Amino acid sequence: MIPVLSRIRGHWWDAVLALVTAAIGAYLVHAFYPGRANNDIVNQAQQALGEIPYSDWHPPVVAALWEWLIGLTGEIGSLLVVQLVLMSLGSFGLGLLVHHRLASRLGSFLAVLLPVFPWSLSQLNIMWKDVQMATAFLLAVVLVFLVRLRPRALWVLLVPAAVLLVYGTLARKNAVFALVPIAVYLGWMAWSALAARRERLRTTRIRFWGSAVSALVVLGVLGGATLATDGAIAEAKDVRATGQISQIMLDDVMFSVPESELNASAAPKELKDHINTARAECIDQGEIWDAYWNCYGRGETGEPFSPIAYQDEVRHLWVTEVVTHPVRYVEYRAAVFSHYFFTSQLEYWERGWDGEASKVGLGGGSRTADYVVKPYVVDFALGTFPMLFTPWFWFLGGALLLVGARRLTAFRAEVVVLSTSAMFYVLGYFPIAPANHFRYTYWPALAVTAGALLWWCARRKQRKQDRGAVRS
C-alpha cells in the first residue's frame, strides 16, 4: 500500500473507501450520462415517458421504476444514475465487508475498484435489464453478507436486500436461477441463528434439513413478493400481454422439427409456410437462433416487439412436436447453448451506436471519456483476453472457487453463494438462450469477481496467520 495510506486505520479507512467509490461513481455518471440505448431500451423509455402503452415484452418493472424516477427528477438519465449508484454501493459494501472482517486494506481497496474492472465497466453505460438485475443483485448479496458482520442491523440490511432481489428477479425473469443459492444462504443463516439458541437443533442432520426448509420458505416469500409486485404493476399500468415466450418456442419449432414433420402437422398452412421460408433464410445467414429478429419478420405487424401471429398454434406445435422428441430438442438447445457459452458479442456499447435513442433523449455521453474507456475495454481487455467476456470463463471460475472454498476459514459460505449463483445462472440459459450477448453473462462476471476477491483476501489472511504461528 502507499505509505501515507498505510497509516490510515479504522473508520478513517472507511472514509477513504467512500471517497474512492464516490469519485469513481461521479466519473462514470459524467462519462455515460444520460445512458446509451438500443431499441429494447428505447421501447422501455417510451413506455416510461407515456409515449406508448405498457407491454410485457420487456419487464414492466423497469419502465415503471423509470417512469417514477422521471416524475421525481424530470431526467431521462435518472435510471442510469440508479444503475451506477447500485454498482457503487455494492462495491463499497464489499470493501467494508473485507475491511471489517479481515482488516485487509488492500483487499477492501480492490473491492471498491470493482466498477472499473474492464468486464464490469463494459456494460455500465447502457441500461440493459440484465445490468439492472446484476447491479441490484450485487448490492442485495453484499447487504445479506453484511448481516453476519452487523447482526443488530438485521432488518436495516435485509429489507432493502429483499426489495433489490425482487426487483432484479422482475427485471430479468431467469434471475430466479441465480436467486436459489442466495435463498439457501438466507435459510442457512436463519436456522444457524435459531440453532445458536437451542442446543438440540445443532446436530448435523437437523441443521441440514432445517436449513433446507428455511431456504424453501425464503424462496417462497421472495417468489410470492415477486409475483405480487408483478401483478400489481400489470394492473396499475394496464400492461398488454405479448406472449414473448413464444419467441423461444418459435426457435425450437423452426430449428428442431424437420420440415416433413412440420408439414404433416395440423398447424395452419400459412404458419407452416412462414416457418419453412424463414428457416431457409436463417440458415442462409448462418443463424439457427433468434428467428424473430433474424429472419421471421418479427411479429404479426412486422414492427419490433409486436406479438407473433398464431401464438396458440406455435405453443401447440411446441408441445406436440418439440418436447415429444427430447433427443433432438436437447441437441438443438445444446447447439444454441454452445454458441452462447463459448462466444460473445456486444461487449461494449460504443458511442454512436444509439440509433433511435435520441428520440427519447438518450445516447451520447462524454466523447473524451469514450476515448478513455473504449481502448481500455475493447482494445486492451477484449483484444488481449477475449475469454473475459465469455460464459465458459466465468462458469469455470465459479467451479474453481467452489472447489477452493473448502480451504477457507473465512468467507467460505459467501464464496460458495456467489460461485453457485453465477453457475446456476449460466446453466439456466440452456433452454432459453436467444443469442450470445455479453450482457447475459454480466451477473456471473460480477459474482465470480466478487467471490474471487473474497477468496483471495481470505487466503491471504490465512497465510499471514500461518506464518505468524510458525514464527511463534
Side-chain angles (χ1 to χ4, degrees):
M1 294 293 293
I2 300 171
V4 174
L5 295 181
S6 66
R7 293 195 290 270
I8 302 175
R9 299 181 182 276
H11 293 299
W12 287 107
W13 182 251
D14 292 343
V16 170
L17 297 179
L19 287 173
V20 173
T21 301
I24 292 172
Y27 181 76
L28 294 179
V29 171
H30 159 74
F32 301 137
Y33 191 86
R36 297 172 191 175
N38 76 331
N39 61 340
D40 294 323
I41 298 163
V42 170
N43 181 258
Q44 291 177 297
Q46 288 175 322
Q47 294 176 41
L49 291 167
E51 296 177 0
I52 61 173
Y54 272 71
S55 78
D56 64 358
W57 188 278
H58 296 297
V61 69
V62 176
L65 172 63
W66 208 345
E67 181 182 356
W68 179 79
L69 290 170
I70 292 170
L72 182 68
T73 67
E75 296 291 332
I76 191 71
S78 51
L79 187 65
L80 175 75
V81 174
V82 166
Q83 181 169 289
L84 295 175
V85 166
L86 292 175
M87 183 68 173
S88 298
L89 290 177
S91 63
F92 177 63
L94 194 66
L96 290 180
L97 183 67
V98 171
H99 181 216
H100 287 272
R101 185 97 175 261
L102 300 178
S104 172
R105 282 167 296 176
L106 176 59
S108 61
F109 187 76
L110 290 175
V112 300
L113 295 181
L114 178 60
V116 296
F117 292 175
W119 52 91
S120 304
L121 184 58
S122 71
Q123 304 294 294
L124 286 177
N125 60 359
I126 183 168
M127 289 84 74
W128 299 116
K129 56 191 174 187
D130 314 77
V131 183
Q132 290 281 304
M133 170 255 164
T135 53
F137 264 48
L138 176 67
L139 179 54
V141 169
V142 169
L143 291 174
V144 169
F145 291 166
L146 285 169
V147 169
R148 293 182 71 190
L149 194 64
R150 294 288 186 268
R152 292 184 179 179
L154 176 69
W155 297 112
V156 175
L157 297 171
L158 282 188
V159 170
V163 172
L164 289 166
L165 291 172
V166 168
Y167 174 69
T169 306
L170 283 172
R172 184 83 218 183
K173 298 294 176 62
N174 58 312
V176 68
F177 294 104
L179 181 64
V180 171
I182 302 169
V184 171
Y185 179 84
L186 284 166
W188 170 74
M189 281 179 54
W191 193 261
S192 296
L194 186 62
R197 299 181 180 183
R198 300 184 181 182
E199 187 174 352
R200 63 188 179 87
L201 300 179
R202 297 176 191 174
T203 65
T204 301
R205 185 175 181 181
I206 291 178
R207 290 192 72 165
F208 173 81
W209 288 109
S211 297
V213 171
S214 298
L216 289 174
V217 171
V218 171
L219 197 59
V221 169
L222 292 174
T226 300
L227 292 173
T229 304
D230 193 40
I233 293 172
E235 183 175 353
K237 300 299 181 182
D238 193 22
V239 176
R240 180 171 58 95
T242 59
Q244 194 264 348
I245 191 64
S246 58
Q247 178 186 354
I248 302 297
M249 294 180 174
L250 177 65
D251 278 358
D252 293 339
V253 170
M254 183 179 296
F255 299 114
S256 74
V257 179
E259 184 174 344
S260 58
E261 291 188 26
L262 177 64
N263 289 336
S265 72
K269 184 177 184 302
E270 183 180 350
L271 174 61
K272 291 187 287 189
D273 290 345
H274 194 171
I275 289 174
N276 287 329
T277 302
R279 184 198 297 113
E281 291 180 11
C282 263
I283 291 174
D284 286 344
Q285 297 171 19
E287 307 274 12
I288 59 167
W289 39 71
D290 211 9
Y292 179 92
W293 296 104
N294 287 327
C295 59
Y296 196 72
R298 300 170 183 170
E300 188 171 13
T301 66
E303 294 296 319
F305 316 114
S306 58
I308 65 171
Y310 299 109
Q311 285 193 25
D312 291 339
E313 288 79 2
V314 169
R315 292 190 183 97
H316 182 72
L317 282 171
W318 193 83
V319 170
T320 59
E321 305 296 336
V322 175
V323 297
T324 53
H325 296 80
V327 174
R328 73 186 186 196
Y329 168 69
V330 170
E331 183 183 26
Y332 167 66
R333 273 292 143 196
V336 178
F337 186 76
S338 178
H339 173 66
Y340 155 74
F341 195 66
F342 294 110
T343 67
S344 69
Q345 62 174 328
L346 299 184
E347 296 88 355
Y348 180 72
W349 199 265
E350 298 182 20
R351 195 176 189 278
W353 282 9
D354 297 308
E356 296 183 347
S358 59
K359 291 182 178 179
V360 292
L362 293 172
S366 169
R367 186 182 302 275
T368 304
D370 212 46
Y371 280 110
V372 175
V373 176
K374 182 185 171 185
Y376 171 61
V377 172
V378 177
D379 301 317
F380 166 64
L382 179 61
T384 311
F385 310 103
M387 74 287 294
L388 292 171
F389 298 88
T390 54
W392 73 261
F393 177 84
W394 298 107
F395 185 87
L396 177 61
L400 292 174
L401 281 177
L402 198 58
V403 173
R406 294 183 301 173
R407 304 178 61 186
L408 298 181
T409 56
F411 290 139
R412 178 186 298 174
E414 289 80 359
V415 170
V416 168
V417 169
L418 288 165
S419 57
T420 52
S421 180
M423 295 169 70
F424 282 16
Y425 189 70
V426 170
L427 292 175
Y429 272 105
F430 186 89
I432 62 170
N436 62 340
H437 301 171
F438 178 61
R439 62 188 173 107
Y440 301 148
T441 314
Y442 194 59
W443 167 243
L446 292 186
V448 171
T449 303
L453 279 167
L454 294 180
W455 184 90
W456 179 79
C457 291
R459 287 294 298 156
R460 184 168 175 263
K461 184 73 171 182
Q462 285 175 227
R463 286 191 291 268
K464 285 184 177 180
Q465 291 173 340
D466 292 343
R467 287 196 296 267
V470 171
R471 284 195 295 269
S472 62

